[in-house]
Amino acid sequence: MSLDALKEKIEGKQAKIAVIGLGYVGLPVAAEFARVGFEVIGVDVIDERIAKINVGESPIEGNEPGLEDLLAEVTASERLHATSDYQELADSDVILIDVQTPVDENNEPRYVALKAVLQDLRKVLKKGALVIVESTIAPGTMNNLVQPLLEEDGLVLNDDYYLGNCPERVMPGKLLHNLRTLSRVVGGMTPETAEAMVSLYNHVVEGDLDAVDCVTAELVKTAENAYRDVQIAFANEVALICEAVGGDVWKVRELVNKSPGRHMLLPGAGVGGHCIPKDPWLLVYGAKDSEVPLRVIPAARMTNDSMPLHMAELLTDALAEHDLALASARVLVMGYAYLENSDDTRNSPSTDLVKALAESGAEVVIHDPYVPGYQSDLLESAKGCDAAVVMVRHSEYLDLDVELLKAALNYPVLIDGRAVFSQVAGQDDFSYKAVGLG
Ligand code: SAJ
């Protein structure tokens, strides 16, 4: 089928769509295209996830407004069907790939899932089909990995198949909202392919659809998250300086941001989540074979990754005020999710802190109102603990009477990574240490 014919099928919603990878990105994407009237096949490797989806239940943790109802609707109308069988993709006109692209211990992507998908897909790909990678990938991956893998058995780009990448901008808790409203960068291996992709996303995206080449799409997605990581690292470094020279980073930030064009972000106990800790390394990886002296982006990652350990340093100093050693302390860690009012623990800074405390010999009690397994009564959990360390700005903590927390603890040792209890700063009855307060 020619690209023009495919574009017409897409515009008429006659194109058969497949989505490979039914996680927190792929599942809402599949449901959205089914909602607007496309016939969608979802492919995954996890059988229980497939089974849940086919009975209209969402396998995604956390509160995703509208997703459960939408899934029930599109599976009941049989516009969305999930499977693990790639043979069911043999008649698909458009195939979206939404698999995870983590980095390894050397901060490099292995693309294990992406490679497996491409190797299976090329065996069943219909002539004239459009393949779109939505996963976040390093600049150059479309040219250096995706196209070569798809063509290993002789397929020819822009003859046997068309290819592009369109990174997603979802966020846990706002999956459907972001998919529908945020603009998207639409990378095509040819301008005509990008145009066909725009006609596809026009059905579900209200935001801008900016047609570009594939490298630009790869660069935009990884750079937008590296940008945020560097901004956070700057705020964290200013916070550390404030601690050293007797400043208050929150006052400094407020006044810095009064200066035109300044938007200093929030310092804190670290940077977690599914994108920000990873995407800067993907951006850097894209330039790995060049002579580019990569300094700022890796340094920002080091700074942000050091913040949980900084929390342990603040704790050690505060315990020493009571002649307590970390190794013999019992410590309450408040917050295990990576983000306030979320149950998502992916790459959570708290996991790094808990590991460091345990390695120091401390006994650790974890509390988190959102994370299963840690939803105990906070004040009960505090009893018998020598100190509390606040890692996440959950609303429950903001609403807490800090005097009750102090009364429950053995000692009034309170370490604050998210400016939750700053009202007690300077009070003699607390050994209060906080990120950014000197
Ligand atoms: N964080 C700080 N200081 C800040 C902002 C965040 O320490 O000023 C920490 C958070 O505590 C968290 C981590 O960084 O541990 C990430 O927070 P985030 O607000 O960036 O939330 P994410 O990880 O869900 O980021 C997503 C990203 N969206 C996509 O990749 C599509 C990111 O690009 C968005 O900017 C962000 O949502 C958003 O602003 O909603």
Side-chain angles (χ1 to χ4, degrees), residues 134-210:
E134 293 197 325
S135 303
T136 303
I137 50 180
T141 304
M142 292 299 287
N143 288 322
N144 305 331
L145 178 84
V146 176
Q147 181 181 350
L149 265 184
L150 282 174
E151 297 190 347
E152 218 161 87
D153 299 338
L155 290 179
V156 175
L157 180 63
N158 300 326
D159 181 10
D160 296 310
Y161 75 106
Y162 305 98
L163 183 60
N165 61 312
C166 182
E168 43 73 25
R169 285 177 165 155
V170 297
M171 181 178 180
K174 301 193 273 188
L175 295 181
L176 287 180
H177 174 266
N178 281 21
L179 271 178
R180 290 170 183 163
T181 58
L182 296 190
S183 64
R184 300 281 291 265
V185 178
V186 182
M189 280 297 203
T190 66
E192 297 75 17
T193 300
E195 269 182 52
M197 293 167 67
V198 166
S199 61
L200 173 74
Y201 287 103
N202 260 328
H203 288 296
V204 291
V205 175
E206 296 150 19
D208 293 345
L209 292 170
D210 298 302

Side-chain angles (χ1 to χ4, degrees), residues 24 136 168-172 174 178 182 221 224-226 228-229 231-233 235-236 253 264-277 279 301 304 307 337-340 344 346-349 391-393 417-418:
Y24 67 90
T136 303
E168 43 73 25
R169 285 177 165 155
V170 297
M171 181 178 180
K174 301 193 273 188
N178 281 21
L182 296 190
K221 172 64 186 176
E224 72 188 32
N225 282 345
R228 185 166 178 81
D229 196 50
Q231 281 192 315
I232 296 168
N236 283 331
R253 173 179 178 269
M264 188 169 152
L265 290 187
L266 305 170
V271 173
H274 51 292
C275 354
I276 308 296
D279 294 354
R301 286 277 69 240
N304 289 335
M307 294 312 287
Y338 85 86
L339 199 63
E340 58 272 11
D344 195 333
R346 277 172 292 185
N347 299 312
S348 169
M391 293 294 286
V392 186
R393 195 174 170 83
R418 301 286 180 190

Side-chain angles (χ1 to χ4, degrees), residues 17-316:
I17 296 179
V19 178
I20 303 176
L22 299 176
Y24 67 90
V25 179
L27 184 58
V29 167
E32 274 295 281
F33 279 111
R35 175 179 64 84
V36 298
F38 285 95
E39 183 185 323
V40 182
I41 294 177
V43 177
D44 203 289
V45 291
I46 303 173
D47 289 337
E48 54 267 30
R49 178 179 287 181
I50 292 165
K52 279 191 93 168
I53 292 166
N54 283 334
V55 295
E57 287 175 25
S58 168
I60 291 178
E61 298 295 317
N63 174 34
E64 289 300 342
L67 184 59
E68 191 87 36
D69 293 344
L70 175 57
L71 266 182
E73 176 200 327
V74 294
T75 47
S77 64
E78 297 183 347
R79 285 208 299 277
L80 171 60
H81 167 70
T83 180
S84 60
D85 180 3
Y86 271 72
Q87 285 306 325
E88 294 196 38
L89 303 185
D91 196 27
S92 296
D93 299 302
V94 177
I95 298 96
L96 305 177
I97 300 174
D98 284 289
V99 292
Q100 290 211 352
T101 53
V103 293
D104 62 15
E105 62 284 355
N106 300 318
N107 298 313
E108 294 193 348
R110 296 251 180 88
Y111 296 129
V112 173
L114 181 59
K115 287 175 183 172
V117 165
L118 295 168
Q119 282 155 356
D120 288 340
L121 179 60
R122 71 170 179 246
K123 296 170 193 155
V124 299
L125 205 53
K126 177 166 98 171
K127 186 163 175 65
L130 168 58
V131 178
I132 302 174
V133 175
E134 293 197 325
S135 303
T136 303
I137 50 180
T141 304
M142 292 299 287
N143 288 322
N144 305 331
L145 178 84
V146 176
Q147 181 181 350
L149 265 184
L150 282 174
E151 297 190 347
E152 218 161 87
D153 299 338
L155 290 179
V156 175
L157 180 63
N158 300 326
D159 181 10
D160 296 310
Y161 75 106
Y162 305 98
L163 183 60
N165 61 312
C166 182
E168 43 73 25
R169 285 177 165 155
V170 297
M171 181 178 180
K174 301 193 273 188
L175 295 181
L176 287 180
H177 174 266
N178 281 21
L179 271 178
R180 290 170 183 163
T181 58
L182 296 190
S183 64
R184 300 281 291 265
V185 178
V186 182
M189 280 297 203
T190 66
E192 297 75 17
T193 300
E195 269 182 52
M197 293 167 67
V198 166
S199 61
L200 173 74
Y201 287 103
N202 260 328
H203 288 296
V204 291
V205 175
E206 296 150 19
D208 293 345
L209 292 170
D210 298 302
V212 295
D213 63 22
C214 288
V215 173
T216 301
E218 292 166 327
L219 283 163
V220 168
K221 172 64 186 176
T222 51
E224 72 188 32
N225 282 345
Y227 171 80
R228 185 166 178 81
D229 196 50
V230 169
Q231 281 192 315
I232 296 168
F234 176 81
N236 283 331
E237 197 143 48
V238 171
L240 296 175
I241 294 168
C242 285
E243 288 177 31
V245 303
D248 173 343
V249 74
W250 306 103
K251 188 65 179 170
V252 168
R253 173 179 178 269
E254 178 197 341
L255 299 177
V256 161
N257 287 348
K258 285 192 170 181
S259 176
R262 274 46 170 201
H263 307 289
M264 188 169 152
L265 290 187
L266 305 170
V271 173
H274 51 292
C275 354
I276 308 296
K278 162 179 71 88
D279 294 354
W281 289 123
L282 290 177
L283 176 57
V284 161
Y285 185 77
K288 72 186 183 323
D289 296 332
S290 72
E291 299 302 313
V292 175
L294 296 160
R295 299 191 188 95
V296 175
I297 296 167
R301 286 277 69 240
M302 304 302 168
T303 298
N304 289 335
D305 280 351
S306 76
M307 294 312 287
L309 303 182
H310 181 61
M311 298 296 287
E313 290 161 1
L314 293 175
L315 173 62
T316 301

